[in-house]
């Protein structure tokens, strides 16, 4: 029997919730053709509220950068983790995402009593956990996690662009834009391209 790498989440309130620290978890980078998938876990401090938290995709890059610094300064603790391109290709993107989330939770300095994860899947954890569809727009701690993950991954793309400028990572952040696909066809794949993703696999044939 194949081992289960993730759990299908129930979208109902958990009757055995306990009071205590709550961590929000989200990821960035499931869709791109290159680079790691990044996850973040955040435990906010109620004494130091952060205004303007929202789904990172709905914020401008400048606003995300400012909130990134504020979250790092005001949160009780936060953790950013990733799964590599090699892990994405060997596990598949969903299971690699679950692995990155698990690493982010395990990297928290404080252990939460509950973890709330954006989406409808849960990584396997030894902590009470709940999945929240569209949680990045509903739960401030998940919004904060989405911002940390997005900014961290965008910065990674900016740095990688310096090494492989011909692909334009600073602009498309690894997504399969027309310019990125054209660069793939012209230059082939680089070490950070996900070989298990169809557009990359095609140029490797």
């Amino acid at each position: 029997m194949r081992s289960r790498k993730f759990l299908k989440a129930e979208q109902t309130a958990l009757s055995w919730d306990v009071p205590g620290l709550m961590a929000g978890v989200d990821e960035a980078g499931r869709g791109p053709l290159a680079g790691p998938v990044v996850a973040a876990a955040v435990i906010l401090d109620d004494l130091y509220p952060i205004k303007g938290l929202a789904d990172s995709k709905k914020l401008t890059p400048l606003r995300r950068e400012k909130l990134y610094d504020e979250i790092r300064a005001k949160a009780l603790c936060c953790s950013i983790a990733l799964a590599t391109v090699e892990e994405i290709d060997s596990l598949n993107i969903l299971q690699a995402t679950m692995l990155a989330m698990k690493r982010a939770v395990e990297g928290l300095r404080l252990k939460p009593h509950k973890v709330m994860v954006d989406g409808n899947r849960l990584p396997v954890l030894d902590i009470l956990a709940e999945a929240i569809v569209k949680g990045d727009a509903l739960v401030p701690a998940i919004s904060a996690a989405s911002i940390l993950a997005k900014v961290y991954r965008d910065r990674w793309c900016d740095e990688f662009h310096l090494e492989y400028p011909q692909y334009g990572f600073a602009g498309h952040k690894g997504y399969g834009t027309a310019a990125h696909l054209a660069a793939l066809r012209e230059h082939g794949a680089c070490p950070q391209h996900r070989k298990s993703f169809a557009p990359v696999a095609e140029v490797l044939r």
Side-chain angles (χ1 to χ4, degrees):
M1 181 177 179
R2 187 175 62 181
S3 62
R4 298 177 65 189
K5 300 294 187 181
F6 55 85
L7 301 177
K8 179 68 176 178
E10 295 293 334
Q11 296 301 310
T12 56
L14 300 175
S15 60
W16 41 295
D17 281 4
V18 292
L21 297 176
M22 191 277 288
V25 178
D26 202 0
E27 55 75 26
R30 282 182 65 173
L33 306 179
V37 60
V38 177
V42 179
I43 301 177
L44 294 175
D45 189 340
D46 292 340
L47 297 179
Y48 298 95
I50 300 172
K51 295 181 179 180
L53 291 175
D55 175 0
S56 63
K57 296 184 291 295
K58 297 182 179 180
L59 300 170
T60 66
L62 179 60
R63 184 62 181 146
R64 284 196 298 263
E65 287 281 349
K66 290 181 177 179
L67 283 169
Y68 179 96
D69 292 337
E70 189 174 359
I71 293 164
R72 295 294 298 265
K74 291 184 176 180
L76 281 176
C77 62
C78 54
S79 170
I80 300 173
L82 54 82
T84 66
V85 168
E86 291 78 14
E87 288 170 327
I88 291 169
D89 286 338
S90 63
L91 297 173
N92 76 43
I93 184 59
L94 176 58
Q95 293 191 27
T97 299
M98 296 299 108
L99 178 60
M101 288 182 170
K102 179 179 175 68
R103 287 170 173 165
V105 173
E106 292 175 344
L108 289 168
R109 178 176 55 84
L110 302 172
K111 185 170 182 177
H113 285 74
K114 181 178 180 181
V115 173
M116 302 185 77
V117 180
D118 182 57
N120 63 356
R121 303 276 185 178
L122 290 173
V124 177
L125 302 167
D126 63 353
I127 304 169
L128 172 67
E130 182 178 5
I132 308 292
V133 173
K134 300 188 184 302
D136 50 5
L138 300 172
V139 180
I142 298 179
S143 300
S146 76
I147 292 165
L148 292 192
K150 173 65 174 168
V151 171
Y152 184 95
R153 193 178 189 286
D154 283 355
R155 290 178 177 179
W156 182 95
C157 288
D158 290 343
E159 291 180 8
F160 193 68
H161 176 84
L162 300 177
E163 188 172 355
Y164 289 91
Q166 65 269 36
Y167 294 100
F169 282 102
H172 54 64
K173 309 303 183 189
Y175 284 92
T177 64
H180 190 184
L181 294 175
L184 260 177
R185 289 190 294 269
E186 180 178 356
H187 303 290
C190 76
Q192 283 297 327
H193 276 107
R194 300 172 181 177
K195 299 177 180 63
S196 57
F197 279 43
V200 180
E202 288 176 5
V203 304
L204 295 174
R205 290 174 183 169

